[in-house]
Amino acid sequence: MTVLRYLLRNPLSMFGMVLLVGFVVVALFAPLLAVPEPYQISPYDTPRAGFWAQPQPPSDEHPFGTTQGQFDIYYGLVWGTRTAFKIGLGVVLISVFVGVLIGSVSAFYGGLVDEVLMRIVDVFMAVPILIAAMVLTALLGKGLVPMIIALSAFGWMNYARVVRSEILRVKEMDFVHAARAYGTSDRRLILQHILPNTFFPVLVLATMATGSMVLAASALSFLGVGTEEGYADWGQFIAYSRNWIVGQGDNPFAYWYTLFFPGMAIFLFVLSWNLVGDALRDILDPRIAK
Amino acid sequence: MSLRALSAEAARFRSPEDMDAMLYYLLRRAVFIPVVLLALTLMIFSLQMMLSPVQRLAAYAPGPEFLKGGSAQIAALIEKYGLDEPFLVQYKEWLGNVLSGNLGWSETARAPVSEALLDLFPATAELVFFAFIPSLLGAIWLGTKAGVHLNKGIDHAIRIFTIIGWSFPVFVFGLMMLLIFYGTLNWFPPGRLSQWAEVVVAGDAFTRYTGVNTLDALLNGNMAVFFDAIRHLIAPVITLTYVNLASMTRVMRTSMLETLRQDYIRTARAKGLPEKVVQNKHGRSNAMLPVVTIAGMELAYMMGGVVITETIFDYHGIGRFAADAASNLDFPGVLGFALYFALVLVVINLVVDLLYPLLDPRVKLA
């Protein structure tokens, strides 16, 4: 109920919610919205209408136009929504799992274990995620799975830190002492009594990170170490627009559609996650005025 | 109150014991840095072991002429440099080279890694300098405004402005800047300098004191080059500023909201201080602390190279070099970059930590 009341009072959060639901719908109904051709091996391979270099403007056949190499922008964006969810949720779920594991072990055992694990966190923090992920994808090859692995490998540290500090806060509370006095096992103590308390901070962090991970993934694609050519992936489609930014001599906006549609898709997707994350934080954080 | 005035004031309250604590803190930091660096390079080095010995040979080659002798020579070199030796033996070898100042040869830069980094550093530093200062000052200003006028029109406007900036992909924003200011208006071309200016800068009459174009041009008294450099900086600077401004403003706003709810703010108001003084002196000065931490992080990551901005605007800096090295698996380049970035991170973290007790006398280093 609080959530509903909050959403009604905050049109911006409401807008984010609606956007996100919209993206979920597009992802779910992708096979209906953009029907794959029967000859396609994978629905994620964007069909192309020829091999000319020059992008073609929106038409009945290609509602958002085509990129260089004639990939259909509409098709790529619709199926790219699924790609975005796969990357965002995939990276965040793996990172949360690793981060929560390391953070809770570190906080619970303390001492040397804590020191060593936190120094490992420091080491991972000392590499910019984009460069590190580029090295990993370059080693592992192109494609979705290498991208998810690369981004998760350098995306878990914040969760570890948050979980650790939350646990350190909760650990000294009376109910934990009581449970321990009661003879609860370590595992049960962590999983049932302490970890649930870290749920909300991690949820807020994860929601906000989903958007930025999709941004990072599209940056990888943009820089050419992301997905295979023609894969339905927003970053890839923006990379296609790069050579056509300047337009034709007398008409600088001749190829506006190559940048506009994929750019809007990424922007709105990330925006929706950020707005929802913001709303979650406001609802869950009692220190922020309502 | 300005940042400097604030730290000067805070410095008056510091006692000799505080100085001891600071020294102890610095020493502990200093001991700890090599450990992180060792672990970091070990990690990257282990990634490198996924490549074949032939691919890794480049790490030991001081220049391209080194590998001219064909496959027989390559085999001999692999033997000579122990590239089929166990991992730790090879790591020790590399570490020895680094400690004696040899970071290896970078295929991407076609130069020794250390030379490439030194060469590109001024370019990135120049870009970051011009983008960081407006974003920090702008963030403090906008964040304060938004916090003071919570849920009023101006607060909503600032929130929308920041959340858009926070969600906008840098490469889309950058491409839009190019489309408008280069494609349409032809005001701000990509690159670092126009061709004629490159020739002037490379010429004998122009002394390259620092490698920072704007500064060098001023020192040489060459205003034409100065304005050309500025013209090339504007678009990437706007791009970077907007993105960073957005994220820092968010932090400043939240921090300001929390600060304004403190008891001492109520006290200050109750004793009849003018609202301006309450907001700026009691509110903003205290709210700035978390922003300093975030700003330090942002600055570090910017100095680590603004990969996408530099790529889009064809601006040759550290970020572009690192991205090229990474995607070409040029490991000497990547390792060199990692060491450079770790150094930047350490220095900036140190400065932030040392700034903290100056900004907030309650904080003591331990």
Side-chain angles (χ1 to χ4, degrees):
Chain A
M1 267 342 274
T2 0
V3 177
L4 200 68
R5 213 171 331 130
Y6 178 88
L7 281 181
L8 286 177
R9 247 188 304 163
N10 288 271
L12 214 56
S13 313
M14 191 71 173
F15 175 65
M17 229 21 226
V18 171
L19 261 182
L20 191 57
V21 171
F23 277 112
V24 172
V25 170
V26 171
L28 283 179
F29 293 101
L32 298 176
L33 290 169
V35 186
E37 304 285 343
Y39 59 79
Q40 274 177 245
I41 300 168
S42 151
Y44 289 97
D45 294 334
T46 312
R48 56 201 304 183
F51 292 87
W52 306 316
Q54 202 178 5
Q56 297 299 314
S59 61
D60 286 346
E61 211 177 325
H62 306 290
F64 292 170
T66 59
T67 63
Q68 67 181 35
Q70 305 312 308
F71 291 109
D72 183 49
I73 296 179
Y74 171 74
Y75 187 97
L77 295 192
V78 169
W79 284 86
T81 314
R82 282 198 176 189
T83 309
F85 274 110
K86 279 187 184 174
I87 291 176
L89 296 179
V91 171
V92 165
L93 287 179
I94 298 174
S95 316
V96 165
F97 179 77
V98 176
V100 168
L101 192 71
I102 290 186
S104 42
V105 168
S106 189
F108 194 78
Y109 291 104
L112 190 65
V113 178
D114 182 34
E115 188 69 24
V116 170
L117 286 176
M118 284 303 111
R119 294 300 76 84
I120 293 178
V121 167
D122 284 344
V123 169
F124 274 84
M125 292 278 234
V127 218
I129 182 167
L130 206 56
I131 298 295
M134 283 182 82
V135 174
L136 262 186
T137 39
L139 276 170
L140 297 172
K142 282 190 170 188
L144 217 54
V145 176
M147 269 164 96
I148 293 177
I149 295 177
L151 289 172
S152 316
F154 294 92
W156 54 271
M157 295 85 72
N158 274 332
Y159 305 103
R161 285 193 164 179
V162 167
V163 166
R164 176 176 171 275
S165 66
E166 276 299 299
I167 292 182
L168 286 181
R169 192 176 61 83
V170 175
K171 206 165 109 176
E172 295 308 319
M173 289 188 171
D174 287 342
F175 75 94
V176 175
H177 289 300
R180 204 189 288 264
Y182 206 77
T184 318
S185 71
D186 274 7
R187 220 187 91 195
R188 199 180 156 80
L189 196 62
I190 296 181
L191 288 181
Q192 297 226 335
H193 295 274
I194 298 181
L195 262 189
N197 284 290
T198 67
F199 179 74
F200 287 125
V202 170
L203 181 71
V204 171
L205 203 60
T207 314
M208 301 225 183
T210 309
S212 44
M213 283 302 146
V214 170
L215 269 188
S218 54
L220 285 180
S221 287
F222 178 76
L223 293 167
V225 289
T227 47
E228 296 284 350
E229 161 122 42
Y231 194 89
D233 164 37
W234 296 338
Q236 170 107 250
F237 275 72
I238 296 200
Y240 289 142
S241 78
R242 229 182 122 190
N243 294 332
W244 305 92
I245 284 307
V246 180
Q248 284 158 331
D250 52 341
N251 181 9
F253 289 100
Y255 306 107
W256 61 276
Y257 48 88
T258 58
L259 177 62
F260 178 77
F261 293 116
M264 275 317 253
I266 300 186
F267 167 61
L268 290 176
F269 188 83
V270 178
L271 181 69
S272 71
W273 281 100
N274 285 343
L275 287 173
V276 170
D278 242 17
L280 274 180
R281 194 195 52 186
D282 285 3
I283 294 168
L284 299 174
D285 189 347
R287 283 173 308 173
I288 309 267
K290 295 275 156 64
Chain B
M1 192 192 303
S2 78
L3 211 70
R4 239 181 77 208
L6 198 74
S7 49
E9 194 186 37
R12 283 197 319 225
F13 296 104
R14 294 212 338 260
S15 59
E17 297 94 75
D18 289 346
M19 293 311 283
D20 278 354
M22 189 175 281
L23 196 68
Y24 170 71
Y25 169 82
L26 281 177
L27 281 174
R28 223 185 48 172
R29 262 289 167 89
V31 173
F32 180 61
I33 292 162
V35 180
V36 170
L37 283 184
L38 215 62
L40 177 70
T41 49
L42 255 174
M43 185 173 85
I44 301 173
F45 208 84
S46 61
L47 286 177
Q48 184 182 4
M49 299 311 279
M50 288 168 75
L51 296 176
S52 74
V54 180
Q55 286 168 300
R56 276 182 279 121
L57 188 57
Y60 300 90
E65 70 283 354
F66 199 64
L67 299 174
K68 267 189 189 148
S71 59
Q73 195 199 342
I74 287 176
L77 284 171
I78 288 177
E79 176 77 33
K80 183 176 170 199
Y81 289 96
L83 291 181
D84 36 15
E85 296 272 352
F87 168 67
L88 280 176
V89 177
Q90 291 192 39
Y91 179 70
K92 222 182 96 204
E93 176 86 12
W94 176 81
L95 199 64
N97 277 334
V98 170
L99 291 179
S100 62
N102 175 15
L103 287 176
W105 172 266
S106 161
E107 260 311 295
T108 328
R110 302 219 149 261
V113 174
S114 43
E115 207 172 280
L117 286 173
L118 279 178
D119 208 36
L120 296 170
F121 176 76
T124 296
E126 185 175 28
L127 183 58
V128 169
F129 174 82
F130 282 110
F132 180 73
I133 290 178
S135 12
L136 180 62
L137 298 181
I140 291 174
W141 184 63
L142 286 177
T144 309
K145 272 251 172 310
V148 168
H149 300 281
L150 177 66
N151 287 333
K152 301 268 169 51
I154 183 157
D155 178 35
H156 289 307
I158 291 173
R159 283 182 80 180
I160 292 173
F161 170 80
T162 55
I163 202 147
I164 287 178
W166 203 42
S167 311
F168 222 97
V170 191
F171 42 95
V172 176
F173 191 86
L175 288 176
M176 276 168 47
M177 296 291 294
L178 270 188
L179 176 62
I180 297 169
F181 291 113
Y182 177 53
T184 311
L185 301 169
N186 202 11
W187 288 353
F188 311 135
R192 258 192 98 187
L193 285 174
S194 302
Q195 219 152 20
W196 65 263
E198 297 252 13
V199 175
V200 173
V201 168
D204 288 338
F206 193 95
T207 322
R208 306 210 72 179
Y209 297 102
T210 57
V212 176
N213 286 335
T214 42
L215 191 61
D216 283 353
L218 284 181
L219 290 176
N220 280 289
N222 192 331
M223 290 321 273
V225 171
F226 176 76
F227 285 118
D228 189 63
I230 292 281
R231 199 163 96 103
H232 284 82
L233 274 168
I234 290 178
V237 162
I238 292 178
T239 309
L240 268 182
T241 304
Y242 184 40
V243 176
N244 285 291
L245 178 65
S247 58
M248 284 197 262
T249 305
R250 281 169 63 89
V251 178
M252 182 65 193
R253 177 180 174 274
T254 315
S255 171
M256 190 70 187
L257 286 180
E258 255 173 62
T259 309
L260 286 179
R261 223 168 306 121
Q262 300 295 319
D263 287 341
Y264 59 78
I265 296 288
R266 197 184 321 148
T267 311
R269 280 186 180 138
K271 72 182 183 189
L273 283 181
E275 186 60 24
K276 268 264 152 309
V277 176
V278 176
Q279 281 168 13
N280 293 342
K281 200 171 169 197
H282 296 70
R284 187 174 60 197
S285 315
N286 283 297
M288 255 161 46
L289 291 169
V291 180
V292 172
T293 312
I294 299 292
M297 290 293 282
E298 300 263 348
L299 181 62
Y301 279 97
M302 281 163 93
M303 290 303 297
V306 274
V307 177
I308 296 169
T309 311
E310 285 179 1
T311 306
I312 288 179
F313 293 102
D314 192 29
Y315 191 95
H316 288 260
I318 298 262
R320 245 192 84 150
F321 165 69
D324 287 345
S327 54
N328 295 325
L329 291 179
D330 167 15
F331 270 99
V334 172
L335 281 162
F337 167 74
L339 285 178
Y340 156 82
F341 182 68
L343 192 72
V344 167
L345 211 57
V346 164
V347 170
I348 290 179
N349 275 338
L350 204 63
V351 171
V352 168
D353 285 349
L354 293 178
L355 256 172
Y356 235 87
L358 296 180
L359 291 172
D360 184 353
R362 287 166 307 183
V363 176
K364 284 197 180 142
L365 299 169

